[in-house]
Every structure is written in C-alpha cells, then in structure tokens.
Amino acid sequence: MTDTVIKLEDHVRTMHDRYANVTKIAQGGQGKVFKAITEDGTIHAVKKMLLVDNSSLDRMDNEARLVQHNLNNHPHIASVIDYWEQPDEDGDPVPHIAFQWIEGETLAQRIDRKETFSGDDLERLYTQVMSAIDAAHEEGVIH
C-alpha cells in the first residue's frame, strides 16, 4: 500500500478528524506513538510529543518539513505523511507527526525473543541504520 503524501501546512485539527481508529502502541520519553487508521483503511504511525516548548515545536516543524521534502524517498526512513499541532487541555499546541506505517517486527521485539543475529544480519542492520542517519545528517536532522 502506498500512502499519498499531502502537503504540510500550518493548520489545527484533531487526530480524530483525520483518523477513524487510533490505538496507542508505544510511549517513550519524548512522546506517544499511535497506530492510526484513516476512514479508507490507510494505516499511519502518529507520534504525539509529550515535552513541548517553543524550541521543540520549531525543531519538530522544521524536521517534519525537511524530511518530507528531502528524505521521503530514502529506503530506510519512514515517510512523513503529515504534521499538525493540536491544542491540549490548556490550549497549548502539541505537535503530532504522521509517518508511513511499516508492518513488521521491531528490533526490541526481536531482541526480547532472544533470537541471535547472524553476522550478515548485523551487517545489513548496521548498513541500513547508518545510511538513514547519514542521509538525515546531510539534511541537518540530528536524531
């Protein structure tokens, strides 16, 4: 399934205005990640930032635009589909970013299964990760 990339614009809407079904799948120090399904059945991964200040809002906005315009075709970087700010209960903007959904097992799940990695697996994983990091750094994104 190929997602249609929509132009990032400054706008405010809620996750439920765009998605018919939203399920939290993970949470980390910087945000929560949701599996979000559009009415037509397209699946996206949506990250909702938790710690927000003006500099993080600006940084996330710049990175979302940069990734969408310069890195969306990289084979090892999930494509940015959309970015928006949604007011929290206090009316403060909370950034959300929607990514291409990539089906499969996470690295953490594979490690939890205690499955060993062959040398070829480790080399392939290292090469893919370094390729993505190198491309992001070339565009000024530090992750």
Side-chain angles (χ1 to χ4, degrees):
M1 167 182 358
T2 302
D3 290 323
T4 302
V5 176
I6 60 177
K7 185 174 180 172
L8 292 172
E9 298 173 358
D10 294 326
H11 58 281
V12 176
R13 66 169 183 268
T14 66
M15 212 181 319
H16 289 287
D17 287 344
R18 177 161 168 83
Y19 298 101
N21 185 358
V22 178
T23 306
K24 185 173 108 175
I25 57 171
Q27 182 169 341
Q30 294 185 353
K32 296 178 184 179
V33 179
F34 300 86
K35 181 177 185 178
I37 304 172
T38 63
E39 297 219 6
D40 70 1
T42 303
I43 303 172
H44 296 153
V46 176
K47 183 175 183 180
K48 174 184 177 182
M49 296 300 292
L50 293 179
L51 303 174
V52 180
D53 58 27
N54 286 338
S55 67
S56 65
L57 283 172
D58 290 342
R59 187 180 70 247
M60 188 167 177
D61 181 61
N62 290 335
E63 287 184 12
R65 291 173 192 279
L66 197 127
V67 169
Q68 186 182 46
H69 295 291
N70 300 334
L71 296 171
N72 260 4
N73 294 320
H74 192 281
H76 306 300
I77 297 175
S79 296
V80 172
I81 305 301
D82 198 8
Y83 167 81
W84 71 97
E85 292 173 5
Q86 180 176 325
D88 65 11
E89 58 277 351
D90 297 323
D92 296 323
V94 177
H96 292 67
I97 187 166
F99 294 94
Q100 160 194 20
W101 179 263
I102 300 173
E103 194 65 50
E105 182 178 45
T106 67
L107 181 59
Q109 289 168 332
R110 184 159 177 187
I111 291 169
D112 285 347
R113 285 193 293 115
K114 297 183 180 12
E115 181 177 330
T116 59
F117 291 87
S118 70
D120 287 344
D121 286 344
L122 289 173
E123 181 180 0
R124 185 173 39 259
L125 179 62
Y126 174 82
T127 301
Q128 291 173 358
V129 169
M130 294 313 296
S131 170
I133 290 172
D134 184 51
H137 284 186
E138 285 181 15
E139 295 298 332
V141 176
I142 306 299
H143 186 72

